[in-house]
Amino acid sequence: MITNSMTNKIFEIINGHTFHLHNQRISYVLTIMENGQLGHLYYGKSLGALSVADIAYLKTQNSKSAGTVKYSPDTGNFTLADRAQEYPVYGSSDFRRGAIDVSCNQEPWYLDFKFADYSITSDKPRNLETPESYAIGNEEATQLNMRLVDDQHQLELTEHFTIFDNQSVVVRSTTVKNCTNKPVNIENMMSAVLELPDDKFQMINLSGAWLKERHVKFHNLEQGTVAVESLKGASGHQHNPFIALVRSQDLNQGEVYASNLVYSGNFISQVEVNEWHKTRLMSGLNPTYFGWKLDVNESFKTPEAVMYYSDHGINGLMDVAAGFTKKHVIDRRWRQRDRPIVFNNWEATYYDFDEQKLLKLARQAKRIGMECFVVDDGWFGQRNTDRSSLGDWRVDPRKFPNGIAAFSKKIHAMGLQMGLWFEPEMVSPDTSLYQEHPDWVVRHPYKCVSIGRGQYVLDFANPEVVESVYQQIKPVILAAELDYMKWDMNRNITEAYSPYLTRHNIPQTEFFHRYAQGVNRLYQLILTDFPDMLIEGCAGGGGRFDLGTLFYCPQIWPSDDSDAVERLSILTGTALAYPLSSFSNHVSAAPNDQVGRQTSLDFRQMVADFGPLGYELDISKLPLDELEQIKENIAFYRRHRQLFVNGRFRQLQSIDPQSNEVTWSVENTDKTEFFVGFYRKLATPNSGVLNYVKLPMVDPNLTYQIDGQEKVSGAVLQHLGLRQPYQFNGANRDTAELYGDFQAHLFHIVSVE
Ligand code: GLA
């Protein structure tokens, strides 16, 4: 047994063929099978040091053959169909979908990667070129790189497995290298596979549409495949790359396996159950409309997949996913920095504004405590509607007669930060950018060209286009001394085709991935020059909420639906996979612009409090009492901002988007302070005056004070629960605290002596 101990992450090789990666929380065990390929033995709760006998025991579960087709007459009397594998291939005795498909001269290759050697690395720096998880110093991560070789085809495959100090996470990616003397084509290459020994799970995925993104959906697993995917060039409003497998819907107990991709583009995440109730989870680049030509000696590396594990149910998963994302995906500096309280003019003015109107709003915003003034769409070119001027990133002199620098100086002089909206990947037909460079647009030479929101997508697979967009944007960032940028993306890709790729003899099947790389390149250019600028991601609201975007943008506008009731469902889904600090909330007008719903300012504020806060309504027209209320709300939020943004988030009742009541909380690390948000969507007749919500997270040995009033022990809050506001039952109008639809209460619970 070789043991290599790096702080708390341990890597062991047992009997020369079995590899065990583990830290304080999890173990991951893989083995070299009889045929030389990589088999999977275990992922789950930490097993501690493993003995040779343990390994023999683990291996038996992976050595019984049920299938009839054997691996190979001369090398193995077993079938791959029922072996848990690390990176299975189709075409052997395993008939399920494989993780990699390669062809050469139109001939499919049946691949057979056998173990060659391994290496251990511990440096994983944050590199702006590619969104990937990172570690600081050599103590935070250990990466096992297993090199496998297919001798016959002369392809080399390296499987990367990374574990992190104190994280219930394994990050995987794969590199393939062409060692032949001719080009080959990758037709499919997944980031990760996770084989599980049974199918006693439900699958959760996050799906929806524009204005209702990332609702929690449950699927029962059956023999067959369930997949979520995108072919839109972005992760999309409809599906998210995150999927989870839960043993039960219990919020606090039971095993959960989940996966996500550090990627923003076409993806597939799927779960396949076979005839023997074994589950295979795979996730990676969507193989549809994908192909990559690998020239001699070239390598291709997949995006990373993050495989989460929790044995504390859905809340455990949320904690693992949020903690990992804040520490190892998002730029860590944003954990300490206060997220500015934003005023955004979009729903306040839409395109109808000028400098004077904005300055009036800015003065008001400053007076009531806001911190960053964001000029949304419409400040450039001749942009008075959404049909014009994208790609002409020069300030509109009719709206800003003194230029953007002068305007921004006034904003800064008020003590506000300055933010601007861009949609860098797009171009409107009425711009000189479009007219001078018609071949810079994503467009097939066919006559039929789809146009969305009156705009075209720029060909970000062409590095010259990316560079040119940056050369336009950079002087604006400099002139306005921007503190904040909103990066929007309001249409998806159709008739995907890059004239640049054809000119350079690069297959069009590489387009979508190269486009994603072009987007990364622009982020890299911007953040290299302006590392302290806060970029907020956005794609027609939540059309690109993923780890690939969070690598560059510490927060994302999660939906164009700012209705607080809808946001309950969107935040519930999003928080399964992403930290609260990434979910930007704005208090908007009532009735709400997207659904026409009337809710109270209190209700809207109590929803928006959880995460980075902003306001997006015409504050120049609000009644004085509402303005004073907002001022107080902001002062309150500022006092507790760290907890609202970075506290541990939990669900206390249900994650079902149909649920009429939502109760969630944030807590500090030493469990001395909590906020519990309680929301009831619709009034229900005589549903009981008194109801309780158990608080599993409080310390039973402490005494807590609720809203500065009642004092009660943690044990009571844990076992009886927190008393919800008194409900109206038809007869208690005088004492009822919950009356009518859309009611909320924010409990502040603090430990006292
Ligand atoms: C998208 C965004 C909105 C707003 C508009 C402006 O829809 O999601 O927040 O910026 O574009 O056109």
Side-chain angles (χ1 to χ4, degrees), residues 466-615:
V466 176
E467 188 59 42
S468 145
V469 169
Y470 184 55
Q471 288 317 322
Q472 269 209 71
I473 286 178
K474 184 176 177 178
V476 184
I477 301 177
L478 283 169
E481 297 180 72
L482 289 189
D483 306 287
Y484 166 110
M485 169 180 181
K486 179 169 167 188
W487 175 323
D488 208 341
M489 195 275 280
N490 277 311
R491 70 155 285 189
N492 290 117
I493 295 171
T494 53
E495 292 95 25
Y497 183 93
S498 158
Y500 167 87
L501 294 184
T502 298
R503 278 202 304 280
H504 290 79
N505 208 16
I506 299 170
Q508 290 292 336
T509 52
E510 297 185 13
F511 169 76
F512 278 111
H513 189 53
R514 286 184 182 269
Y515 180 91
Q517 290 175 326
V519 171
N520 297 339
R521 172 73 184 145
L522 184 56
Y523 277 120
Q524 181 187 17
L525 289 169
I526 296 173
L527 286 172
T528 303
D529 288 343
F530 307 100
D532 292 322
M533 190 169 65
L534 173 62
I535 308 183
E536 178 157 328
C538 177
R544 200 148 68 173
F545 207 118
D546 50 53
L547 294 177
T549 303
L550 286 176
F551 180 77
Y552 299 108
C553 302
Q555 60 194 56
I556 298 177
W557 180 235
S559 178
D560 273 353
D561 196 335
S562 62
D563 168 50
V565 177
E566 173 55 28
R567 283 291 179 108
L568 293 173
S569 303
I570 299 177
L571 176 53
T572 294
T574 308
L576 290 193
Y578 306 99
L580 209 50
S581 64
S582 64
F583 191 95
S584 164
N585 278 307
H586 292 177
V587 173
S588 61
N592 169 270
D593 272 6
Q594 293 80 38
V595 296
R597 186 179 278 132
Q598 185 80 41
T599 52
S600 68
L601 181 58
D602 274 355
F603 186 90
R604 282 172 278 150
Q605 180 72 43
M606 286 177 197
V607 175
D609 276 334
F610 290 80
L613 176 65
Y615 291 82

Side-chain angles (χ1 to χ4, degrees), residues 203-208 214-219 226-228 238-240 242-244 576:
M203 175 177 142
I204 296 181
N205 68 287
L206 307 175
S207 63
R214 293 175 303 287
H215 283 208
V216 174
K217 303 278 162 60
F218 289 96
H219 301 267
V226 192
V228 287
Q238 285 71 15
H239 292 296
N240 193 271
F242 168 88
I243 52 173
L576 290 193

Side-chain angles (χ1 to χ4, degrees), residues 346 351 376-377 383 421 453 486 488 490 538 540-541 557 560:
W346 178 242
Y351 294 109
D376 207 276
D377 190 359
R383 179 95 167 161
W421 179 96
R453 217 193 189 207
K486 179 169 167 188
D488 208 341
N490 277 311
C538 177
W557 180 235
D560 273 353

Side-chain angles (χ1 to χ4, degrees), residues 126-171:
R126 183 173 157 83
N127 175 357
L128 288 175
E129 197 178 320
T130 311
E132 285 195 339
S133 61
Y134 67 91
I136 294 180
N138 286 346
E139 301 294 305
E140 285 184 358
T142 301
Q143 180 160 297
L144 168 65
N145 310 293
M146 300 289 283
R147 198 172 65 89
L148 307 152
V149 173
D150 180 330
D151 277 337
Q152 193 177 324
H153 297 109
Q154 300 204 356
L155 288 184
E156 194 182 285
L157 190 83
T158 307
E159 289 290 317
H160 312 282
F161 302 84
T162 311
I163 60 164
F164 295 80
D165 184 37
N166 209 25
Q167 303 281 342
S168 300
V169 165
V170 174
V171 167

